[in-house]
Amino acid sequence: MKILVTGGCGFIGTNFIRMMLAKHPDWKIVNLDKLTYAGNRLNLMDLEENEPRYEFVQGDICDRELVTSLMEDGHLDAVVNFAAESHVDRSINDPTPFVTTNIQGAQNLMECARQTGISRFVHVSTDEVYGTLGPDGKFTESTPLAPNSPYSASKASADMMARAYFETYGMPMVVTRCSNNYGPYQFPEKLIPLIYLNAKADKALPVYGDGMNVRDWIWVEDHCLGVELSLLKGRDGKAYNFGGDAEETNIDVVRTILAVLGKPESLITYVKDRPGHDRRYAMDYSLAAEELGFAPTLGFREGLEKTIAWYEANTEWLETVQSGAYRNFMDEWYKERS
Ligand code: NAD
Ligand code: TYD
């Protein structure tokens, strides 16, 4: 099988490509990535240098000509779209790149796939399209889409477009909706690596609002497993939820990281809340369990310890991705909030 993976130099795409090439000796992967601030070509440099089944192409999913040329390859069996602007706080600051990549870019991929007759398309989406939950219940695939941030609105728009491409053109399309991922290669603007880094440096740990917002954390390889199962077994026109059975308040996540690192809780600093902050996410993934045989494999504490061990062993990676533009953006953001 030959797959075009987009956004493969980001957090989840990197894990997916590594996992799939290791698991399937007969698979080939072409990785199309624009290399935004969140994309790091070095993540997969060992494969670029030593693995003939892996090819890297730098480019934009919005580029009709480039995407068409990659899809015109008669041996291409499927497309898996991870490429996105992925950070809610950045989307609040400036929604425009989210509309460009997450909506127009995704539609461009779908249109090129339609024109070139691609026989499988997996669009990677998020639980955030469903909006927010109260204290009870879980999102199912029939929960109405009710996005609250520019990020989640852009992802929900692409989900709607995927649905339209299936309904209108009969395009072989599967959408995956997953909860919050954590694990190796996550960019340190997201909660877990950011808290880890600040705690290591004995810096203040910014907790938004009252710290009681709940996320359902999933080990990144379990999400990759869900995407793989969707690619191989998903029913066309369906969306599948994936979750980690690990609902945690943000403050508990922060406290657990501090406990693993042996750092004091006095570092915790409550800051102004994120506007439109979703209170709680929780996933009912019973459809994926029944139809695809999906189940998460790793508990939160074990996964968090593995994640921290990976960051401890990869300080050079952290230094590389923390430079320049990212630092300036986050400094501004926290100045505004504290
Ligand atoms: P990420 O920000 O780490 O990586 C995104 C990647 O996409 C980067 O390599 C970036 O260079 C690339 N990219 C951005 N714009 C592009 C463009 N126009 N053309 C080509 N490449 C482009 O994101 P992630 O956390 O790995 O998320 C991957 C996907 O999974 C996204 O679609 C996201 O919405 C979805 N998702 C993420 C989570 C999570 O917890 N991180 C949860 C559910 C779903
Ligand atoms: P994040 O990792 O940005 O993922 P998402 O917004 O997509 O869920 O944030 C996870 C939760 O942690 C979210 O409720 C916001 C909160 N948060 C903080 O309290 N402090 C921080 O510095 C960050 C980045 C997030």
Side-chain angles (χ1 to χ4, degrees):
M1 173 134 93
K2 187 168 178 185
I3 313 169
L4 175 64
V5 171
T6 69
C9 293
F11 164 44
I12 305 170
T14 293
N15 282 283
F16 180 77
I17 290 172
R18 287 199 171 284
M19 198 171 147
M20 292 309 112
L21 287 176
K23 216 169 152 179
H24 301 283
D26 56 332
W27 283 21
K28 292 181 181 157
I29 292 180
V30 178
N31 173 15
L32 172 65
D33 197 300
K34 186 178 170 181
L35 298 180
T36 68
Y37 78 94
N40 188 352
R41 187 171 176 176
L42 292 177
N43 288 358
L44 296 167
M45 195 46 86
D46 56 323
L47 295 181
E48 221 178 297
E49 286 173 349
N50 303 312
E51 176 53 83
R53 295 179 296 130
Y54 172 74
E55 186 189 339
F56 173 71
V57 178
Q58 183 171 4
D60 195 326
I61 59 167
C62 301
D63 182 337
R64 177 71 54 97
E65 213 175 303
L66 172 63
V67 171
T68 302
S69 74
L70 294 174
M71 287 187 186
E72 267 170 349
D73 174 347
H75 301 288
L76 193 67
D77 299 293
V79 175
V80 180
N81 179 30
F82 288 100
E85 290 292 337
S86 67
H87 190 36
V88 173
D89 293 332
R90 282 178 189 262
S91 82
I92 294 167
N93 229 28
D94 181 8
T96 307
F98 289 75
V99 172
T100 307
T101 288
N102 300 1
I103 306 177
Q104 293 173 355
Q107 187 270 333
N108 186 54
L109 283 176
M110 291 173 206
E111 183 56 23
C112 295
R114 179 171 88 87
Q115 298 287 348
T116 54
I118 296 294
S119 54
R120 194 78 171 136
F121 193 118
V122 178
H123 176 69
V124 178
S125 187
T126 165
D127 59 352
E128 303 193 25
V129 298
Y130 297 122
T132 188
L133 289 165
D136 306 314
K138 294 186 175 190
F139 296 129
T140 72
E141 290 81 356
S142 12
T143 303
L145 304 194
N148 292 316
S149 72
Y151 163 68
S152 53
S154 69
K155 294 298 290 185
S157 304
D159 286 20
M160 291 296 196
M161 195 57 79
R163 179 190 157 89
Y165 266 75
F166 170 73
E167 294 292 340
T168 307
Y169 306 116
M171 200 158 127
M173 174 71 77
V174 177
V175 172
T176 66
R177 298 194 181 122
C178 188
S179 60
N180 285 61
N181 288 219
Y182 66 100
Y185 299 102
Q186 187 165 33
F187 193 81
E189 64 186 354
K190 307 282 166 61
L191 181 70
I192 288 177
L194 183 135
I195 295 297
Y196 163 78
L197 262 184
N198 282 18
K200 283 292 279 187
D202 295 309
K203 282 184 171 169
L205 312 180
V207 174
Y208 300 168
D210 64 1
M212 295 306 286
N213 300 64
V214 173
R215 298 293 182 262
D216 173 0
W217 294 96
I218 184 170
W219 172 241
V220 63
E221 290 188 1
D222 285 337
H223 180 194
C224 294
L225 172 67
V227 174
E228 177 194 18
L229 291 168
S230 303
L231 176 64
L232 296 174
K233 297 191 197 172
R235 271 195 293 145
D236 289 343
K238 281 279 169 205
Y240 292 96
N241 282 356
F242 297 98
D245 282 336
E247 280 188 57
E248 300 280 340
T249 61
N250 293 338
I251 192 65
D252 281 347
V253 170
V254 172
R255 288 199 174 114
T256 309
I257 296 171
L258 288 173
V260 173
L261 294 177
K263 293 282 184 176
E265 296 202 358
S266 55
L267 292 173
I268 294 171
T269 309
Y270 289 93
V271 298
K272 204 161 118 195
D273 208 355
R274 172 189 278 174
H277 197 176
D278 288 333
R279 192 65 174 166
R280 177 172 165 260
Y281 303 144
M283 290 303 254
D284 177 341
Y285 60 80
S286 50
L287 184 70
E290 277 159 31
E291 292 196 3
L292 311 178
F294 170 81
T297 63
L298 209 59
F300 184 65
R301 176 73 191 217
E302 199 187 338
L304 193 62
E305 283 175 8
K306 276 179 84 159
T307 303
I308 289 175
W310 187 87
Y311 283 115
E312 299 269 288
N314 289 276
T315 46
E316 217 176 287
W317 182 89
L318 275 168
E319 279 159 25
T320 314
V321 300
Q322 273 187 95
S323 56
Y326 155 72
R327 266 274 150 244
N328 297 340
F329 171 82
M330 290 319 283
D331 288 351
E332 279 305 307
W333 177 257
Y334 289 120
K335 222 186 291 160
E336 263 171 41
R337 258 158 187 64
S338 38

